[in-house]
Amino acid sequence: MSLLRLEVSDPQFTPAHTRYISIHSSHLGGRHDVSVYNADTTQRDIPVVILLHGVYGNHWVWMNLGGVHKVYEQLRAEGLEEFLLAMPSDGGLLDGSAYLPLADKGNYEQWIMDDVVSAIKTLHPSQVTDKSRWYISGLSMGGYGALRLGAKYPECFSGVSAHSSITQLDDMAQFVETPLSFYRCEEPREADLLHWFDKTTDTRPALRLWHR
């Protein structure tokens, strides 16, 4: 486990069912944040859904800009099983990190796959167990991140969904002024979705695409 330090909000001062976490990431060399919803559940082996935000955003946008927790409560009332929402920052790089392992700038992939996953397991050992299923989803840049991580690590996820997703790194140019050369990875095909989907044809998790 690569976590160095965790700072966790006190339930008596935060909204119901909500927890905020600051993680000192060994992969990024700094403190970055995660919002967690339904953190006080007593049910065991619950599924975890990681939600990745788009450019300009941060960990709080899913709840405080999109009201995802209200949708969740409505679905629960209609019979959906209990699960935990983990909403991490993308790492705070300029207008967006694309959740990539960037040469000389930090491993924003392992921030999600190692730091965030380890923090959730550490803070909720009774609820999130080895039997828990993990899912990953995202919006726009986050949809691209979810697709790439789901294809690269198919053994880690039971399902992947992408909403109004960009599908190649070049699409970032529509949203950011940062030259795409800034997003250089050590491996030349690291950012290529088709590369990872071609490698996992027989093992990829269930996939859902949605565009508005």
Side-chain angles (χ1 to χ4, degrees):
M1 184 179 299
S2 61
L3 297 181
L4 300 179
R5 288 186 296 276
L6 298 178
E7 190 75 10
V8 185
S9 64
D10 189 326
Q12 67 177 316
F13 302 126
T14 51
H17 311 300
T18 306
R19 178 172 283 183
Y20 303 113
I21 310 168
S22 289
I23 304 171
H24 191 125
S25 168
S26 62
H27 298 289
L28 300 181
R31 290 172 289 109
H32 301 280
D33 302 315
V34 185
S35 293
V36 178
Y37 189 73
N38 211 34
D40 62 348
T41 180
T42 57
Q43 185 174 329
R44 291 183 58 83
D45 308 326
I46 63 171
V48 180
V49 180
I50 298 175
L51 295 177
L52 304 181
H53 65 77
V55 291
Y56 321 135
N58 213 313
H59 66 103
W60 56 265
V61 298
W62 289 101
M63 293 178 65
N64 299 103
L65 194 59
V68 68
H69 57 305
K70 297 196 178 287
V71 176
Y72 169 65
E73 292 297 349
Q74 178 182 340
L75 293 174
R76 281 185 62 206
E78 296 172 359
L80 186 69
E81 68 176 304
E82 193 93 7
F83 59 91
L84 185 146
L85 286 172
M87 297 159 279
S89 158
D90 73 322
L93 181 70
L94 300 180
D95 286 326
S97 69
Y99 305 94
L100 287 166
L102 299 178
D104 306 320
K105 297 178 179 67
N107 195 325
Y108 296 87
E109 170 184 298
Q110 288 305 314
W111 152 244
I112 301 297
M113 296 303 301
D114 185 8
D115 293 331
V116 172
V117 169
S118 295
I120 297 301
K121 290 180 177 179
T122 297
L123 291 174
H124 310 292
S126 297
Q127 292 78 41
V128 180
T129 71
D130 290 341
K131 295 180 180 179
S132 295
R133 301 185 306 279
W134 288 74
Y135 300 85
I136 190 166
S137 181
L139 172 69
S140 189
M141 177 189 74
Y144 165 79
L147 290 170
R148 199 185 70 84
L149 294 176
K152 186 174 180 179
Y153 300 97
E155 71 282 359
C156 295
F157 299 108
S158 296
V160 178
S161 67
H163 306 263
S164 299
S165 174
I166 65 173
T167 55
Q168 56 185 354
L169 185 58
D170 287 352
D171 293 338
M172 287 283 285
Q174 301 176 50
F175 307 101
V176 302
E177 297 181 359
T178 307
L180 294 182
S181 59
F182 183 86
Y183 293 93
R184 183 178 66 86
C185 301
E186 294 289 353
E187 298 297 328
R189 299 199 65 187
E190 186 69 64
D192 185 352
L193 289 183
L194 291 180
H195 168 67
W196 295 112
F197 276 104
D198 285 344
K199 290 174 70 71
T200 57
T201 301
D202 298 326
T203 58
R204 72 178 62 137
L207 177 64
R208 180 182 185 272
L209 300 175
W210 180 85
H211 182 74
R212 180 178 179 180

